[in-house]
Amino acid sequence: MQIEQRTLGASGPVVSALGLGAMGMSGMYGPADEAESIATVHAALDAGITLIDTGDFYGMGHNELLIRDALRSSGRDRGEVLLSVKFGAQRDPAGNWIGYDARPAAVKTALAYTLTRLGTDHIDIYRPARLDPNVPIEETVGAIQELVEAGYVRSIGLSEVGADTIRRAAAVAPIADLQIEYSLISRSVEREILPVLRELGIGMTAYGVLSRGLISGHWSPDRSGAAGDFRSAQPRFSGENLDANLKLVEALRSVAEAKGVTVAQIAIAWVLAQGSDIVPLVGARTRTRLAESLGALDVQLDAEDLAAIEEAVPEGAAAGDRYVAAQMAHLDSEK
């Protein structure tokens, strides 16, 4: 099948208008059904999704191995799928986050492991997961550019960095896209980062378009996180913040129902409507959730719809930060 195609940046790759984010298939949201995860990847490919996003630290390699198995069993040619990979996040055996490493040697070593786990000879978009405060972005991007020249990487991406870092990176080598959280309740990117991306001809892959399920319409106040679900400790999912945020969801539900669509679909459609240079990543872990997300591609929002959405969920209305304080401190995009 074919769905709308969008180009990442002025000269980046052409990808499907929706991408599949695979993080949740490797434990970040609690236990996942591996067979269903693979079936979901197959369903995404069958529906016309061509972009799959992962990170080498998702399940400490498990996610890359899962994607490898899904692609092999799909019978599809490697050239039909674009793989976006993040690297650099460091974790200990207990799963704790212990920093970032984006030194040139670490970049190349990480890619060598990723190529082996994914069973491929190249990565379509390779990006540091966060800015390493101890390594100039010029050195990190320069190392990836060497991998581009050697044929191991097709395009360079960034993740969660601010406007100044974007400019410095783009001065070293062409940047295809910035991966960053962007949703109805996470809009800080609009102030400075998005204008710089458009000035420089850099695309955006937006993750968290449903705020990790918070604004999907499927979250409830009494829902308890499964073991290993990192959302249970995040500010927007806790206490009074959760209550306030779910009131926003109910206001959005009224708009969605009037449109004849689901809350998730209108939330994804809103991101799609913010520009053809933005590609939302949907983190579906099941075929059911994937099918719902794909329905957003058929939702057309006019000026009246957008105004109603804005009234239901005004900019800055979310209660709580995106992450706990320690993780927020690593976000160059929020400084």
Side-chain angles (χ1 to χ4, degrees):
M1 294 178 62
Q2 286 292 320
I3 63 177
E4 178 193 346
Q5 303 290 292
R6 294 187 170 187
T7 302
L8 290 178
S11 57
V14 175
V15 301
S16 51
L18 282 182
L20 179 66
M23 182 187 77
M25 297 176 179
S26 293
M28 297 294 290
Y29 295 155
D33 183 319
E34 187 160 308
E36 179 61 24
S37 296
I38 289 175
T40 301
V41 173
H42 290 171
L45 297 174
D46 290 343
I49 286 179
T50 61
L51 176 65
I52 300 178
D53 180 77
T54 184
D56 63 10
F57 49 92
Y58 294 166
M60 302 313 296
H62 173 272
N63 204 241
E64 291 179 321
L65 293 171
L66 178 79
I67 291 170
R68 178 201 65 187
D69 291 347
L71 294 181
R72 284 179 176 174
S73 58
S74 74
R76 292 181 179 273
D77 182 80
R78 172 67 179 87
E80 297 179 56
V81 183
L82 284 88
L83 297 175
S84 165
V85 179
K86 293 179 291 297
F87 69 90
Q90 305 294 291
R91 303 176 72 181
D92 68 17
N96 300 307
W97 303 97
I98 54 176
Y100 297 90
D101 190 352
R103 295 171 298 162
V107 172
K108 295 174 181 180
T109 300
L111 180 68
Y113 281 109
T114 281
L115 292 173
T116 298
R117 284 189 293 261
L118 283 168
T120 185
D121 62 359
H122 73 279
I123 300 302
D124 297 284
I125 312 173
Y126 201 51
R127 70 185 81 243
R130 297 288 187 270
L131 178 68
D132 184 339
N134 299 311
V135 180
I137 191 64
E138 290 87 351
E139 293 184 14
T140 302
V141 170
I144 304 175
Q145 178 59 22
E146 290 178 6
L147 295 169
V148 171
E149 293 167 358
Y152 297 115
V153 171
R154 297 289 188 262
S155 299
I156 303 172
L158 300 171
S159 177
E160 287 288 359
V161 294
D164 179 63
T165 302
I166 295 167
R167 291 187 184 280
R168 289 169 53 196
V172 175
I175 305 297
D177 72 312
L178 170 71
Q179 189 172 118
I180 194 165
E181 185 168 351
Y182 187 40
S183 73
L184 275 167
I185 63 171
S186 296
R187 296 176 59 180
S188 60
V189 66
E190 294 174 349
R191 293 195 290 270
E192 184 178 9
I193 293 174
L194 185 53
V196 168
L197 294 179
R198 287 173 169 163
E199 174 194 336
L200 299 177
I202 298 172
M204 180 200 296
T205 43
Y207 76 89
V209 292
L210 296 178
S211 197
R212 301 172 184 82
L214 180 58
I215 61 171
S216 67
H218 301 296
W219 203 273
S220 61
D222 57 352
R223 180 171 172 174
S224 58
D229 189 337
F230 88 105
R231 292 173 293 191
S232 60
Q234 300 306 312
R236 290 182 176 176
F237 288 85
S238 304
E240 294 181 355
N241 287 346
L242 177 61
D243 294 337
N245 291 328
L246 290 180
K247 287 181 180 178
L248 296 175
V249 175
E250 291 311 303
L252 184 61
R253 191 186 305 277
S254 296
V255 180
E257 289 178 347
K259 188 76 173 172
V261 300
T262 69
V263 176
Q265 287 168 344
I266 205 165
I268 296 169
W270 180 87
V271 178
L272 283 163
Q274 302 312 300
S276 60
D277 52 350
I278 299 172
V279 174
L281 299 172
V282 295
R285 300 198 296 170
T286 67
R287 285 167 286 180
T288 299
R289 291 288 183 257
L290 174 67
E292 181 182 22
S293 296
L294 287 166
L297 292 167
D298 297 322
V299 179
Q300 299 298 316
L301 300 176
D302 58 23
E304 185 176 344
D305 295 324
L306 292 170
I309 293 169
E310 184 74 28
E311 182 177 357
V313 187
E315 182 181 1
D321 287 331
R322 294 199 273 146
Y323 296 99
V324 297
Q327 291 173 309
M328 288 294 291
H330 287 294
L331 297 180
D332 181 61
S333 55
E334 295 285 351
K335 295 177 181 177

